[in-house]
Amino acid sequence: MTRERDRERRRGPAEPDDDRYDDEAEYVEPLSAVEAAREGLRMIAGLTGRDVQGTTSLEATSDGWRVGVEVVEDHRVPASTDLLGLYEVDLDVDGELLGYRRVRRYQRGKGEVG
């Protein structure tokens, strides 16, 4: 389902075609957690041009959502030695990108230390 269709689905019932509604902002239901996770994946794939592995975290913020996304930054042989990056994507309540950053790089086969 495309992002535009997602937004259309989240919109409330259509208002009557009346001039008094022209100055009012159209209500769009905020992004759900599932939609935010999908949008975070899509955004990072588009911005980095790299293969995304999946979401690692999802957090509601005062502005919308923060999505953690794992990305393959360098494919290696064997695949267990791929270099991965963990990115955080900040989205507003409508799913628009506020910002993103890489917070960590690590080798796939290495576990968390500590």
Side-chain angles (χ1 to χ4, degrees):
M1 182 175 279
T2 66
R3 190 164 150 203
E4 290 77 25
R5 279 191 257 160
D6 281 347
R7 280 199 175 151
E8 288 298 321
R9 187 173 47 81
R10 291 192 320 267
R11 292 184 199 280
E15 297 292 337
D17 193 15
D18 190 332
D19 289 340
R20 65 185 167 163
Y21 294 105
D22 288 345
D23 294 334
E24 295 180 21
E26 185 174 334
Y27 173 76
V28 176
E29 187 177 315
L31 215 58
S32 73
V34 171
E35 292 167 327
R38 286 183 188 143
E39 192 62 18
L41 283 172
R42 190 184 74 76
M43 288 283 184
I44 285 297
L47 289 165
T48 65
R50 296 186 169 134
D51 296 332
V52 293
Q53 294 295 289
T55 57
T56 60
S57 64
L58 181 66
E59 173 186 357
T61 65
S62 60
D63 296 327
W65 295 98
R66 177 167 293 144
V67 184
V69 179
E70 193 171 57
V71 174
V72 179
E73 295 204 333
D74 188 20
H75 289 280
R76 296 182 177 173
V77 176
S80 63
T81 62
D82 286 350
L83 187 59
L84 303 179
L86 180 60
Y87 287 76
E88 288 182 344
V89 183
D90 291 323
L91 304 172
D92 69 11
V93 294
D94 294 328
E96 296 297 320
L97 180 69
L98 296 174
Y100 80 100
R101 66 200 146 283
R102 184 178 63 203
V103 295
R104 189 167 165 243
R105 280 180 94 175
Y106 51 96
Q107 197 171 20
R108 184 188 300 269
K110 303 292 183 187
E112 293 267 343
V113 177

